[in-house]
Amino acid sequence: MAAEPILLTAGQWLGAASGLLAVTTVVGYLGRWGVRFRLVGITSFTALLAISCLAFSVSYTQRVSLEGAVTVPVVYDNGGDLLVAAAPADLPEGAAGPSVQQLAENLRTSGRSSADGLVHVRLRRVEAVAPGLSKPVVLAEASRSLATGRVELQP
């Protein structure tokens, strides 16, 4: 079962519980119960949990999973317009394009800015040129628009 319906249901149940606790707290204050101050804490914490569950269920987005893509670790992210991921040594042939596209699709763009309105996502591998000398080789690159969220693979 997806996380969104579970969180929505949990938020609703916690909201109902906080409502019942609020009524119990008011009755406790009117009856001058000894636990009335504890009930305030329990009620406010339950209401906070309810609001948090509801907010997370509304903002939750499922991750995109593309066929043929491999999960790759991010090795550099400047927080703006460039993200670089490292390709594993055993990357299957033809998996570079879907992998970089999947990474770009799952990228959170809030808080990012760039002059051209694009975030460039690169998949690279470090290859040895000579003993003690290596160079990065870009296997695939994709650009994601900050305005529309559209992803384009670069040739």
Side-chain angles (χ1 to χ4, degrees), residues 4-119:
E4 183 182 352
I6 292 172
L7 287 171
L8 187 61
T9 303
Q12 292 170 343
W13 278 100
L14 285 168
S18 65
L20 290 174
L21 284 168
V23 169
T24 306
T25 302
V26 169
V27 170
Y29 264 96
L30 295 176
R32 303 189 56 79
W33 295 349
V35 295
R36 62 183 179 253
F37 299 111
R38 291 182 184 149
L39 283 173
V40 170
I42 294 168
T43 303
S44 60
F45 184 70
T46 306
L48 180 67
L49 284 176
I51 292 168
S52 299
C53 284
L54 291 172
F56 188 70
S57 71
V58 169
S59 67
Y60 179 75
T61 56
Q62 291 248 333
R63 299 191 56 81
V64 175
S65 181
L66 298 176
E67 186 177 331
V70 176
T71 303
V72 291
V74 174
V75 293
Y76 178 75
D77 184 1
N78 68 359
D81 64 343
L82 180 62
L83 185 126
V84 180
D90 59 344
L91 184 70
E93 188 71 31
S99 297
V100 77
Q101 183 176 1
Q102 175 176 293
L103 188 61
E105 292 280 346
N106 290 326
L107 181 66
R108 303 278 184 208
T109 57
S110 61
R112 294 184 179 268
S113 64
S114 77
D116 59 355
L118 298 173
V119 177

Side-chain angles (χ1 to χ4, degrees), residues 128-134:
V129 177
L133 184 63
S134 59

Side-chain angles (χ1 to χ4, degrees), residues 66 81 83 96-107 109 116-123 138-155:
L66 298 176
D81 64 343
L83 185 126
S99 297
V100 77
Q101 183 176 1
Q102 175 176 293
L103 188 61
E105 292 280 346
N106 290 326
L107 181 66
T109 57
D116 59 355
L118 298 173
V119 177
H120 302 282
V121 180
R122 295 181 183 142
L123 181 64
V138 177
L139 303 175
E141 183 175 353
S143 297
R144 180 172 176 156
S145 171
L146 291 173
T148 63
R150 192 175 58 134
V151 175
E152 289 184 22
L153 284 174
Q154 303 299 318

